[in-house]
Amino acid sequence: MPPRDVPSVARRRGRGGRGGEELRVPEAEFTSYYGRPILKAPVWRWDIAAYLFTGGLAAGSSLLAAGGQLTGRPALRRAGRVTALGAVTASAYFLVNDLGRPARFHHMLRVAKPTSPMSVGTWILTAYGPAAGLAAVAEAAPLLPGRGVFSPVRRLLPPAGQVAGLAAAAVAPALATYTGVLLAGTAVPSWHEAYPELPTIFAGSALASGAGVGLLAAPCAQAGPARRMAVAGAALELWGAHSVETRLGLLSEPYRLGRAGRLLRAGRLLTAAGVVGALAGRRSRVVSALSGTALLAASVATRFGIFHGGVASARDPKYTVLPQRERIRRRSEQV
């Protein structure tokens, strides 16, 4: 018997269609086989969403540090380098924690496959981590004794840190965007269809989070590059987030509903507030710090929103089947 709340169509069965037993046939509704998902939803947990954020934060912080280094702003340089090391360390922890065993990360270094975003990302992290670490360690050079065994180390660390900081900044754009390519390369419908937008969103989020670090840590007189980064990052992030919520048709729906929708809306509001505060608080240390906090929170919300939107699209069969039917229909019309 169909459920009572399912609309039905009445018809009669009998000789010649006259009289007989009345059958109530439920109207056709879209379902999958026994209601089971067609795709297996990603088994990734919250630590992968945190990995997406910390990787972007590390990349944005290295770019901020390079800007501070090249423009003679030591507070920006110091904050960016130290944050980059902390963020990439946390990122490596989240990744290894999801893999289950540290040896699995080591095994991924046995080969280099340019066609595999995961393989490329492993090598990006391997190249970025030591450079970011050396740049951050170089900030401790003034704390070393000027005489004795540590005297040569104190002299050599600053120039080595300058080279390492620029090397980390050179790898940072790849670190910021490869995770977007990684998600778009999966079979998860709302990630796969958003392949043009995800790298842009993640690049903007990385810039905005790096700008947030600068606004929090640097005095107003040195925060000019951070403010410019905030504007550029917010523009990329807001454009990309708006596009995935409007351009993908049915596959935009997971980004507008549920937890993902709430997170992405919060991310937009926090990004806008952070940019306004960054521009309006040029002479206020408190306003700049609040703006930096808002930009960091916006980056967290955006990354987690994208993550949960993709997972939701994999769990509901309609996001797999209906777009496929639409593509088949358009292909048949062209023929």
Side-chain angles (χ1 to χ4, degrees), residues 87-256:
V88 76
T89 302
S91 183
Y93 166 77
F94 289 130
L95 178 60
V96 172
N97 186 55
D98 180 75
L99 291 174
R101 295 200 308 268
R104 290 178 176 173
F105 183 85
H106 172 264
H107 296 337
M108 294 168 67
L109 296 175
R110 293 180 176 179
V111 296
K113 295 178 62 176
T115 57
S116 169
M118 181 63 77
S119 177
V120 172
T122 302
W123 284 101
I124 288 172
L125 280 172
T126 303
Y128 174 84
L134 179 57
V137 170
E139 292 297 325
L143 303 177
L144 297 176
R147 298 178 181 179
V149 178
F150 293 101
S151 178
V153 178
R154 177 170 178 165
R155 290 196 306 270
L156 293 175
L157 269 182
Q162 291 181 359
V163 175
L166 295 178
V171 182
L175 178 64
T177 56
Y178 94 89
T179 47
V181 178
L182 175 65
L183 295 184
T186 66
V188 174
S190 290
W191 286 344
H192 185 75
E193 194 67 19
Y195 67 90
E197 289 87 1
L198 291 185
T200 301
I201 294 173
F202 285 7
S205 177
L207 288 174
S209 60
V213 171
L215 292 171
L216 273 169
C220 295
Q222 296 189 30
R227 300 184 198 282
R228 289 188 284 273
M229 279 182 61
V231 174
L236 291 174
E237 186 175 349
L238 291 174
W239 175 84
H242 174 75
S243 183
V244 297
E245 293 184 34
T246 56
R247 185 190 68 83
L248 309 182
L250 178 66
L251 294 179
S252 290
E253 193 174 84
Y255 294 121
R256 297 195 301 264

Side-chain angles (χ1 to χ4, degrees), residues 53-95:
F53 165 69
T54 51
L57 176 61
S61 298
S62 286
L63 292 172
L64 176 78
Q69 175 182 328
L70 295 174
T71 59
R73 292 175 167 87
L76 281 184
R77 184 200 68 221
R78 190 179 307 112
R81 288 180 177 181
V82 173
T83 303
L85 177 59
V88 76
T89 302
S91 183
Y93 166 77
F94 289 130
L95 178 60

Side-chain angles (χ1 to χ4, degrees), residues 22 27 32 46 50 70 109 172 185 189 219 247 251 255 281 295 307:
E22 181 178 340
E27 293 181 352
S32 64
W46 66 270
L70 295 174
L109 296 175
R247 185 190 68 83
L251 294 179
Y255 294 121
L295 290 172
F307 175 79

Side-chain angles (χ1 to χ4, degrees), residues 193 323 325-335:
E193 194 67 19
R325 290 178 178 175
E326 179 63 20
R327 286 193 292 269
I328 292 173
R329 184 189 64 80
R330 289 198 301 265
R331 196 175 300 124
S332 63
E333 290 178 352
Q334 292 175 358
V335 174

